Structure formats: structure tokens, C-alpha cells
Amino acid sequence: MLEESLKNRLVYRKENIYFAVTLIFSILTYVVLFFSVIGIAIILGLMLVSYFFHALSMASIRRNGVRLSEQQFPFLYQKAVKLAQDMELEKMPAIYVMESMGILNAFATRFFGKNMVVVYSEIFDLVEENREDEVLFVLAHEFAHLKRRHVLVHLLLLPAMFVPFLGEAYLRACEYTCDRYAAYYVSNVDTAKEALSMLAIGKKLSGKMNKEAYVQQLSEESGFFAWLSEKLSSHPDLPKRINALDHWVSPELYPLVREKKTGIIVGTIASIVLVASLTGAAVLLVRGTQALTAFLEDPYFYEDEEYLYEEEMIEYPPVIQAVMDEDMERLEQLVVEGTPIDEKDTDGYTALQYAVIWGDVEAAQWLIENGADVNTADNWGSTPLMNAVYNVSDVEIVELLLANGADKTLKDSDGKTAYDYAVEIRESELRDILK
């Protein structure tokens, strides 16, 4: 039961939210640039430069790195193949090991449409120390990036990556998700914590490090700059990643360690000032472009802009907030008191929509059993079934919705059905279910 519960919560719940915000921002940026000759040149220039240097770097790795195969370190390659199969990757990624001059790192990427994972030799050396599980954790973490298509959407989200705090927030959420995937498929949270500890203190002493004391540093090492350093980073602080894994497995035993509020409050004020300044500068730059004058006069543009920067301030309906807080007791109490179970937020999402998007099977089933509408549509016409397919690709939730009357023939505002989205994301099992 615990294993099933963990599997249903593999995706860190803020990942999809941050993805939506970065996607909207990036699409708007591309649209704005598209209406300017200079903007089109900027788009093409960014894409070409990014692609050229990435391709050059990957070609060098493929020529000089050591590729794992049946002939090259076959014992570990076979375990990696099984791991990829367990994680249901469509194709086995090419795995390369490269000399790293003592640096502990690994990353997932794509080269001419093919997935690949690069592991630095300092990590791969763990094989010689009978620490294969830690190497497999690293591989599973990078496989998770490919599974969740983090690499595939990078170019689409490129504009948001240049916005302080926004792009980094999405990337950090992705790291939390991949830590969960890796710990789950390696079937050993202690190994996961050991691998993360290795990044903090090195390979030799990671086993002797007091991880509980390390996590407690979060409450001691605080302040504005400590807070800001993480917010400008693409990875969460290591003690937070260890604490988050423990909390994911046993939330009652391992509560999330909270930082002191002083630094966070000061940091929030500074962040608002910084974002406001950047926003003002961007607006002035855009308004100076003659080709964009007509477009910027469109009132809907300003409504979208306001939505982006005020989303964090939205007050959600009580039933939705209870689902977001994973507070089933509160949710049950609200429904018993007569709170509408299908109450919607400003985007037209119901509590069931949120439960589906976050892969919370328990909450979704409870909501359905207590009268939630399985065919409710948000402001874009998307139903819980469509979101279950496109956002989480969760077979269990899809089957749950279908068994309780979800209409697979419904179409959203783009004229697409849940089946169309299963085809789009290449999920063969979901395609078969929705035929």
C-alpha cells in the first residue's frame, strides 16, 4: 500500500504549476517577438546559437566518452536497461561516461532527436567500490528527466529561463520530481540520501555524515542571502532534497524543516522590487518597437500579464485548498458541512481537476465517490480525463475516471479529445485504453 501511495506521488506537485506559468510566459514572449522583424531574428538567433553549441558539445562527448553497452561494462549496462524498462522509457537512452577531473555530476540531454545520459567518471568510479546502487540512483534520476520530457521542452521554455526566479523555480521542482522517481525505482531511499550526501561532502565521507544534523542546518543557516542563493539556483539546496525525500516517504516522521521567516520576508520584498523593475524595463522595450503597438493595445494582453505576476496571490476555494494541502480530513469535513464539491477557481479547475493533475489517486477516488463531476471542464474546455492523459500520463487515474463515467468523446477548446492527447504524447497504453 505504501509503495502504491509513493508511486501516485512521484511528481512533485509544484512542477506542473510552474510548468504552466513558464509555458504561458514563454509562449507570450515568442508571440511578442514574432510580431517584430528584430524579434524574429532574436528567436532564430537564440535557437541557432543554442543548437550549434549544444550539438558541438554532444558530438565531442559521443566521440570521446565511453558508451555503456553489452560489450562495455555489460554488468552495469544490463541493470541500466532493466531500470529503463521498469520506468517505461520508450527507448533505452545512450549512456556515456566521461572523465570529469574530480567533478561529481551527470545530466540528461538530446542529440539529433535521440536521448542520452552523460555520467562523469567520478560518479562511475563508485562501481569499483561496490556502490552500484548509488550509480543506478544517478542514472534513474537522469532517466526521470527523460521520462518527464524535461529535456524535450527546454527550447520551448527558453524565454522563461532568462527571468530571475521563474525559470529556476520550475527547474528546482523538476529536481524534486526526479529524486522521487530515482528513489522509487531503485527501491532504496537510503541509497538516494547517500547519493545526495555524496554531492555535499564527497564519496569517501558521505557514509559517515550525520544526515539528520545536515538537514537541521536549514533552520540554522538562514537569512536573505541564503534564501536568495537557492532562489537563483536551478537545484534545491541539498539538505532540502534529503529532507524532501524523507517527508515524501514518511511525512509523519519527517516534517519539512522550515527556514526562519525573517530572511524569506526580506527576500520576498526584494524579489517583488526586482521583478517589478525587470517588468517595467521589458514593457518600455516592447513599447519602443513600432511593429508591436497594435498588439500591445489588445486588452487581453494586459490581462494575461497581470495573471502571471499575481497567480501566487490567488485564494483558492476551500475544497481545492484542502486537496492542495493533501488534507483529506479537512476535505471530508468541508463536504459534510455542505461546501460545493465542484466549486471552481478562476481557471475553472475543480478539486477533482487538481487531484488528477497531481496524480493523487486517493483524493480523486474520494471526490468521485462523493459526487464530483468527472466531466467538468475548465476555462479551456479540458476535462479531468484530458488532464490525466496530458499532464500526468497516469493509467490508474484514467481507468478510474473511465470506470466512473468520464466521457472520452468530449473535446476541449482546441477540438482535441483525451485520445488525441494520448497520441500526441506517444503513450501507447493510454491510446489502447481510450480507443
Side-chain angles (χ1 to χ4, degrees):
M1 189 67 180
L2 175 60
E3 182 178 351
E4 190 65 26
S5 173
L6 293 178
K7 188 174 184 180
N8 293 333
R9 293 183 289 112
L10 286 176
V11 179
Y12 182 61
R13 65 182 187 180
K14 289 185 179 180
E15 180 188 325
N16 289 326
I17 296 174
Y18 286 136
F19 173 74
V21 175
T22 54
L23 180 63
I24 292 171
F25 181 89
S26 297
I27 289 176
L28 288 176
T29 302
Y30 281 130
V31 170
V32 170
L33 292 175
F34 183 76
F35 280 82
S36 165
V37 175
I38 297 176
I40 294 175
I42 291 174
I43 293 174
L44 293 176
L46 284 173
M47 288 183 173
L48 288 174
V49 170
S50 175
Y51 179 79
F52 176 79
F53 284 104
H54 175 73
L56 199 63
S57 174
M58 294 305 102
S60 176
I61 290 174
R62 291 170 72 93
R63 288 289 295 270
N64 296 288
V66 177
R67 180 174 179 177
L68 269 60
S69 66
E70 293 290 356
Q71 293 76 40
Q72 197 74 266
F73 300 101
F75 61 99
L76 190 65
Y77 177 73
Q78 290 166 2
K79 291 185 177 181
V81 169
K82 184 180 184 305
L83 183 62
Q85 291 172 346
D86 291 342
M87 295 180 70
E88 299 179 349
L89 294 183
E90 293 181 1
K91 293 183 179 180
M92 176 64 190
I95 303 174
Y96 290 86
V97 180
M98 60 177 292
E99 212 289 314
S100 59
M101 299 179 66
I103 299 174
L104 292 162
N105 197 16
F107 60 89
T109 186
R110 287 174 66 84
F111 183 74
F112 285 101
K114 295 181 179 179
N115 291 331
M116 57 185 285
V117 171
V118 178
V119 181
Y120 284 14
S121 59
E122 192 70 10
I123 290 178
F124 194 73
D125 285 347
L126 291 169
V127 174
E128 286 296 294
E129 302 172 19
N130 295 319
R131 298 169 71 179
E132 292 179 13
D133 284 350
E134 290 165 46
V135 178
L136 289 173
F137 170 84
V138 173
L139 288 175
H141 181 98
E142 303 309 327
F143 285 179
H145 280 301
L146 301 175
K147 172 72 175 178
R148 293 290 300 164
R149 296 178 173 82
H150 296 154
V151 177
L152 190 61
V153 301
H154 181 76
L155 191 61
L156 178 62
L157 303 179
L158 190 60
M161 296 300 112
F162 291 99
V163 179
F165 308 113
L166 179 58
E168 288 84 355
Y170 169 65
L171 295 175
R172 288 196 302 274
C174 292
E175 291 301 316
Y176 281 127
T177 292
C178 293
D179 282 347
R180 291 182 178 187
Y181 265 86
Y184 178 83
Y185 282 100
V186 174
S187 302
N188 194 328
V189 175
D190 289 335
T191 292
K193 291 161 60 178
E194 194 68 29
L196 293 174
S197 301
M198 179 179 65
L199 299 178
I201 199 171
K203 298 187 297 183
K204 293 183 179 179
L205 296 176
S206 61
K208 298 180 180 180
M209 188 180 83
N210 185 326
K211 297 171 182 59
E212 287 73 19
Y214 184 51
V215 169
Q216 288 305 315
Q217 286 182 207
L218 289 171
S219 58
E220 300 166 5
E221 303 293 336
S222 59
F224 168 64
F225 288 104
W227 176 88
L228 184 62
S229 68
E230 184 188 31
K231 298 308 175 187
L232 295 177
S233 173
S234 61
H235 286 63
D237 290 335
L238 286 169
K240 280 191 174 182
R241 292 173 69 178
I242 294 174
N243 182 217
L245 279 177
D246 278 332
H247 181 73
W248 170 60
V249 175
S250 302
E252 302 83 7
L253 296 177
Y254 297 98
L256 292 176
V257 176
R258 302 295 181 184
E259 301 175 73
K260 293 180 181 178
K261 299 296 183 183
T262 305
I264 295 177
I265 293 172
V266 174
T268 301
I269 295 172
S271 302
I272 292 172
V273 173
L274 178 59
V275 171
S277 301
L278 290 172
T279 304
V283 171
L284 288 175
L285 179 63
V286 172
R287 288 186 181 277
T289 306
Q290 184 176 3
L292 295 177
T293 303
F295 180 72
L296 291 174
E297 289 175 353
D298 181 356
Y300 292 105
F301 176 77
Y302 295 101
E303 288 177 9
D304 286 342
E305 187 176 69
E306 180 181 358
Y307 169 79
L308 275 174
Y309 293 104
E310 293 185 0
E311 186 183 62
E312 295 291 336
M313 302 170 64
I314 293 175
E315 290 188 9
Y316 295 95
V319 289
I320 291 178
Q321 190 64 57
V323 171
M324 294 172 69
D325 294 338
E326 299 180 356
D327 190 343
M328 290 300 299
E329 184 176 344
R330 174 62 176 159
L331 178 61
E332 293 172 10
Q333 180 184 356
L334 287 167
V335 173
V336 168
E337 292 174 353
T339 304
I341 199 168
D342 286 323
E343 189 172 0
K344 295 186 176 184
D345 65 6
T346 55
D347 292 322
Y349 286 110
T350 63
L352 179 58
Q353 289 275 34
Y354 277 95
V356 166
I357 290 172
W358 288 345
D360 191 336
V361 177
E362 180 187 359
Q365 185 166 358
W366 189 91
L367 288 163
I368 291 171
E369 290 174 351
N370 286 270
D373 183 1
V374 295
N375 291 312
T376 183
D378 59 27
N379 294 350
W380 295 272
S382 296
T383 64
L385 183 61
M386 295 174 193
N387 284 324
V389 173
Y390 190 78
N391 287 305
V392 292
S393 303
D394 193 310
V395 172
E396 184 177 1
I397 291 183
V398 168
E399 290 178 338
L400 173 66
L401 291 167
L402 290 173
N404 286 276
D407 188 347
K408 60 185 178 182
T409 66
L410 292 176
K411 296 182 179 181
D412 62 9
S413 56
D414 291 328
K416 294 183 177 181
T417 64
Y419 175 78
D420 294 330
Y421 283 114
V423 172
E424 183 177 315
I425 64 176
R426 300 179 182 178
E427 288 287 351
S428 57
E429 186 173 359
L430 291 177
R431 289 201 305 266
D432 293 341
I433 294 173
L434 293 164
K435 279 184 179 178

